[in-house]
Amino acid sequence: MIPEFPLYVFTLLAGLAAGVYVFAPFVKGEQEGKNMRIGLPATCLVLLAIGAVALLTHLGHPERALNAFSNPSAGITLEAYASVPFGLLVVANLVLALMKKGRNKALEIVTAVFGVILLVAMGYAYFNLVGVAAWASWLTFPMFIVASLAIGAHLVAALNPLAAKTRQFQMMCIVMDVLTAVVFAAELIPFSSLGMSIALFVVSIVAAVVAVVLGAMRMRAAKLPEWIDWATFVLMFVSVAIARYGFYAAYMI
């Protein structure tokens, strides 16, 4: 197992939550799934909670979490600063839903902005980490940002079959899948040049390409069953998870 496994869990799950809220505002009221209002923010909170527990595990002692906030130059501090406001905004979305006030598009957009900030903070934390040559590349930013947006888009689509059937959402998902595959393919260059294994990235690229094919099928045949959207989400999540694992494996070299 990679030594940075807790951070792997955090960036994967918190990144997914951030990606979800970037695409949530694109879902119109009439396209909402039956669990969209409560299910979406509740799911994101669960993802953030698991990620937070993983971070505490990484620190070794819960009390060290407060110490992490005292070092603004540390990557984990930047991630924490970005996670807190994003998490509070997700809570606000859930509270509104529980109060039966409906969705607030303005609040969702603000949440999306802080979600992007969180993804940028993740990328910067590893790009700025001295000692791991494979991470000192501009590709580190899209490795976190683009990949997280892709799986976030697919989870939103899976939760909202009506939105998933629209050409706009289908195109957004396909574009994000293609960009993700391109990012993983680009990572082959720095990793291979440093003599590191690229096997996991190759597997991830194949999975992303299959997701693109499924997306194209979805566009051409609107009568495909709704489980196709969940299957595509799972496929892309696995693709991103494998590639992210390969990315963290560079720390052991």
Side-chain angles (χ1 to χ4, degrees), residues 16-163:
L16 171 57
V20 163
Y21 265 97
V22 169
F23 287 92
F26 290 97
V27 179
K28 299 177 182 179
E30 64 272 16
Q31 298 171 342
E32 294 178 8
K34 60 182 180 180
N35 295 319
M36 171 72 179
R37 294 185 181 182
I38 297 177
L40 188 144
T43 298
C44 289
L45 277 181
V46 170
L47 293 172
L48 288 171
I50 296 174
V53 171
L55 277 181
L56 291 178
T57 303
H58 171 72
L59 293 172
H61 297 277
E63 66 272 14
R64 292 181 183 176
L66 296 178
N67 294 333
F69 282 91
S70 64
N71 183 9
S73 62
I76 194 171
T77 304
L78 295 176
E79 291 174 326
Y81 282 149
S83 297
V84 171
F86 174 68
L88 291 176
L89 287 167
V90 175
V91 170
N93 280 276
L94 179 59
V95 170
L96 283 180
L98 293 174
M99 293 175 62
K100 298 182 180 180
K101 298 293 185 180
R103 294 168 57 204
N104 185 303
K105 279 296 182 70
L107 180 60
E108 285 185 348
I109 292 173
V110 174
T111 308
V113 171
F114 277 88
V116 172
I117 292 174
L118 173 57
L119 295 178
V120 173
M122 289 179 181
Y124 180 78
Y126 295 94
F127 170 79
N128 197 46
L129 189 62
V130 178
V132 185
W135 295 351
S137 165
W138 65 270
L139 288 170
T140 295
F141 286 96
M143 182 71 191
F144 286 92
I145 299 172
V146 175
S148 296
L149 292 180
I151 54 178
H154 279 291
L155 183 53
V156 173
L159 289 170
N160 300 274
L162 292 178

Side-chain angles (χ1 to χ4, degrees), residues 144-222:
F144 286 92
I145 299 172
V146 175
S148 296
L149 292 180
I151 54 178
H154 279 291
L155 183 53
V156 173
L159 289 170
N160 300 274
L162 292 178
K165 290 180 180 179
T166 64
R167 198 168 188 83
Q168 178 195 34
F169 222 98
Q170 290 171 351
M171 281 302 302
M172 286 193 295
C173 288
I174 290 176
V175 168
M176 294 311 306
D177 294 348
V178 171
L179 290 176
T180 300
V182 170
V183 170
F184 293 164
E187 284 283 16
L188 298 178
I189 300 174
F191 273 74
S192 60
S193 65
L194 292 169
M196 299 178 181
S197 174
I198 59 173
L200 293 180
F201 287 106
V202 172
V203 173
S204 295
I205 294 168
V206 172
V209 170
V210 174
V212 172
V213 173
L214 285 178
M217 292 172 57
R218 189 76 163 95
M219 288 191 68
R220 293 176 63 87

